[in-house]
Amino acid sequence: MPCYRCGARQTDPVRGASPWKRGVRRETQVLVCPDCQRLHGLDLEACEICGSTTLICRLGEVECRSCGAVRAARSDSLVGSDRGASSASPASSTPAGLSGLSAEVEAALDRVLGRA
C-alpha cells in the first residue's frame, strides 16, 4: 500500500519498528511515509475521545490505539457527503488511488504471466 499523500511505496524495513505511520482517512486505512509525516495537515481522522490520530480501521470498526475506544465505521453515504457527493455511485466511492493500484497490479500480473 503506498503513502496516501505522495504515493511512495514502502520498502523492506530494517529490524525494528517501521517508520511508516498508519491512520484512518475517510473511513479507510492509509499509510503515511516518514517524509509526509513531517508535514502538518495530514487530514487524518482523530479519536472522538482523546483526539489522537493513531487510529486503525478493520472489520467495519475504527479503533484508537491510544485510548482503546472503538466505534463503528461510518456508512459510505456519510463518507461520500464529506466529499460533496452524498448519493455517490459505487464507482465514485472508491478510495483515491485504488483504481491506479488496480491497474498497476494488472500490469504486474501481465508481466509475470507473460501476457501481451
Side-chain angles (χ1 to χ4, degrees), residues 3-90:
C3 174
Y4 89 96
R5 288 193 61 129
C6 68
R9 293 276 181 187
Q10 194 173 20
T11 58
D12 289 336
V14 293
R15 290 192 143 192
S18 173
W20 287 62
K21 178 180 178 178
R22 287 187 286 182
V24 175
R25 184 171 184 262
R26 295 184 179 152
E27 304 300 310
T28 302
Q29 183 83 40
V30 296
L31 284 178
V32 184
C33 72
D35 292 335
C36 290
Q37 288 176 40
R38 290 188 271 272
L39 303 174
H40 296 286
L42 290 176
D43 194 26
L44 297 176
E45 293 180 24
C47 176
E48 297 168 354
I49 307 297
C50 70
S52 172
T53 59
T54 57
L55 304 177
I56 57 172
C57 186
R58 61 179 174 218
L59 300 174
E61 294 181 334
V62 176
E63 179 183 346
C64 177
R65 301 293 282 182
S66 294
C67 71
V70 178
R71 67 168 173 82
R74 288 181 229 127
S75 69
D76 288 344
S77 63
L78 291 175
V79 175
S81 65
D82 183 40
R83 289 179 286 200
S86 60
S87 59
S89 66

